[in-house]
Amino acid sequence: MGHPGEVTRFDAEVEEIVGAFEGSSTIPFVREYLTACQDDLGLVLSGPGFGPRKYVNVKPPDGGARLAAVTSPNTGRAQIHIAPSYVDRVPLAEVVLNNGIPRRLKVMLTSSEAVASAVELTRLAAGLNDCCRGIPGECSSGGHCLAADGSVSA
């Protein structure tokens, strides 16, 4: 996994979004999280594509639905699109409510521990389950397996 302060190059759009908040104390942790998503989990990073809001999407390599997003790079807010019932799986996760209804989880990227929690939740949201690597865990029928070379397969 990346380390705080380590500079990983993202595509121009993502680099522009992250770079705009470079003075913020959370940016090293935002970079660490995005680096882990891109390099360790093999996920794809992209900007919003339109509109004035600046955030970074995390999507599967096959172009499927968004798995997570850093919705506020200057505060380090990472939203992970996973069931709120996963809140107790990792430290520092919080439930996001929409009109009072639990919808997803968030982790504030303010430490390496928070980054590790966000990466674990993103791994689970991506279906990169432990059972695919021979470790007992939960598998969903739609889960993907992480190959030794880092590629993702069904």
Side-chain angles (χ1 to χ4, degrees):
M1 187 177 333
H3 300 287
E6 183 179 298
V7 177
T8 296
R9 289 290 147 210
F10 307 117
D11 75 21
E13 181 184 27
V14 171
E15 192 59 51
E16 180 182 337
I17 292 166
V18 174
F21 300 102
E22 205 56 60
S24 171
S25 63
T26 62
I27 288 301
F29 302 111
V30 168
R31 285 188 175 280
E32 184 181 358
Y33 170 69
L34 293 175
T35 296
C37 288
Q38 178 178 269
D39 296 350
D40 300 343
L41 300 181
L43 302 173
V44 176
L45 308 177
S46 66
F50 60 89
R53 276 192 74 205
K54 298 295 183 191
Y55 59 90
V56 180
N57 290 312
V58 178
K59 296 183 176 183
D62 62 8
R66 177 170 61 183
L67 301 168
V70 177
T71 58
S72 184
N74 60 324
T75 64
R77 179 184 169 125
Q79 288 195 146
I80 296 90
H81 294 262
I82 192 167
S85 60
Y86 281 81
V87 70
D88 294 328
R89 286 272 188 114
V90 298
L92 306 174
E94 301 173 50
V95 175
V96 175
L97 301 175
N98 185 352
N99 294 322
I101 300 169
R103 295 291 186 190
R104 67 189 66 83
L105 298 179
K106 75 175 179 181
V107 177
M108 301 304 291
L109 302 173
T110 57
S111 67
S112 288
E113 180 185 17
V115 170
S117 292
V119 169
E120 175 62 10
L121 289 172
T122 305
R123 183 184 69 76
L124 290 167
L128 302 171
N129 300 305
D130 288 340
C131 59
C132 296
R133 290 175 283 173
I135 302 167
E138 291 184 2
C139 272
S140 63
S141 59
H144 300 286
C145 295
L146 186 62
D149 67 358
S151 63
V152 179
S153 62

Coordinates of all heavy atoms in Angstrom, one line a residue, residues 2 11 29 32 36 48 68 75 89 93 100 102 114 118 126 136 145-147:
G2 N 0.4 2.3 -0.6 CA 1.2 3.6 -0.6 C 1.4 4.1 0.8 O 0.8 3.6 1.8
D11 N -4.0 9.7 -13.6 CA -4.3 10.3 -14.9 C -4.5 11.8 -14.7 O -4.7 12.3 -13.5 CB -5.4 9.7 -15.7 CG -6.8 10.0 -15.1 OD1 -7.0 11.0 -14.4 OD2 -7.7 9.2 -15.5
F29 N -3.1 11.3 2.8 CA -4.0 10.1 3.1 C -4.9 9.8 1.9 O -5.2 8.6 1.6 CB -4.7 10.2 4.4 CG -3.7 10.4 5.6 CD1 -3.7 11.6 6.2 CD2 -2.9 9.4 6.0 CE1 -2.8 11.8 7.3 CE2 -2.0 9.6 7.0 CZ -1.9 10.8 7.7
E32 N -2.7 8.1 -0.5 CA -2.5 6.7 -0.1 C -3.6 5.8 -0.4 O -3.5 4.7 -0.9 CB -2.2 6.7 1.4 CG -1.8 5.4 2.0 CD -1.5 5.4 3.5 OE1 -1.6 6.5 4.1 OE2 -1.3 4.3 4.1
A36 N -3.7 2.8 -3.3 CA -4.0 1.5 -3.0 C -5.1 0.9 -3.8 O -5.1 -0.2 -4.3 CB -4.4 1.3 -1.5
P48 N -15.5 13.2 -12.1 CA -17.0 13.1 -12.2 C -17.4 13.2 -13.7 O -18.5 12.7 -14.0 CB -17.5 14.3 -11.5 CG -16.4 15.3 -11.5 CD -15.1 14.5 -11.4
A68 N -16.7 3.4 -4.9 CA -16.4 4.3 -3.8 C -16.1 5.7 -4.5 O -15.9 5.8 -5.7 CB -15.2 3.8 -3.0
T75 N -11.3 17.4 2.8 CA -11.6 16.9 4.1 C -11.2 15.4 4.3 O -11.3 14.8 5.4 CB -13.1 17.1 4.5 OG1 -13.9 16.3 3.6 CG2 -13.4 18.5 4.4
R89 N -17.2 -4.0 10.6 CA -16.1 -4.9 10.1 C -14.7 -4.2 10.2 O -13.7 -4.9 10.3 CB -16.3 -5.1 8.6 CG -17.4 -6.1 8.2 CD -16.8 -7.5 8.2 NE -17.7 -8.5 7.8 CZ -17.6 -9.1 6.7 NH1 -16.6 -8.9 5.9 NH2 -18.5 -10.0 6.3
A93 N -15.2 3.3 10.4 CA -16.3 3.4 9.4 C -17.5 4.1 10.1 O -17.8 3.8 11.3 CB -16.6 2.1 8.9
G100 N -32.5 10.1 6.5 CA -32.6 9.3 7.7 C -32.5 7.8 7.5 O -32.6 7.0 8.4
P102 N -30.1 4.6 6.4 CA -28.7 4.2 6.2 C -28.5 3.7 4.7 O -29.3 2.9 4.2 CB -28.5 3.0 7.1 CG -29.7 3.1 8.1 CD -30.8 3.8 7.4
A114 N -7.1 4.8 9.1 CA -8.4 5.1 8.3 C -8.3 4.7 6.9 O -9.2 4.1 6.3 CB -8.7 6.6 8.4
A118 N -10.7 2.1 4.9 CA -11.3 2.4 3.6 C -10.9 1.4 2.5 O -11.8 1.0 1.7 CB -11.0 3.8 3.2
A126 N -15.8 -4.3 -3.9 CA -15.4 -4.7 -5.3 C -15.6 -6.2 -5.5 O -15.4 -6.8 -6.6 CB -13.9 -4.4 -5.5
P136 N -10.8 -18.5 4.4 CA -12.2 -18.5 4.7 C -12.7 -17.1 4.8 O -12.1 -16.2 5.4 CB -12.3 -19.3 6.0 CG -11.0 -20.1 6.1 CD -10.0 -19.3 5.3
C145 N -12.3 -12.5 -8.3 CA -11.1 -13.0 -7.6 C -9.9 -12.2 -8.1 O -9.8 -11.8 -9.2 CB -10.9 -14.5 -8.0 SG -12.3 -15.5 -7.4
L146 N -9.0 -12.0 -7.1 CA -7.8 -11.3 -7.4 C -6.7 -12.3 -7.7 O -6.4 -13.1 -6.9 CB -7.4 -10.4 -6.2 CG -6.2 -9.5 -6.4 CD1 -6.5 -8.5 -7.5 CD2 -5.9 -8.8 -5.1
A147 N -6.2 -12.3 -8.9 CA -5.2 -13.2 -9.3 C -3.8 -12.8 -8.8 O -3.6 -11.7 -8.4 CB -5.1 -13.3 -10.9

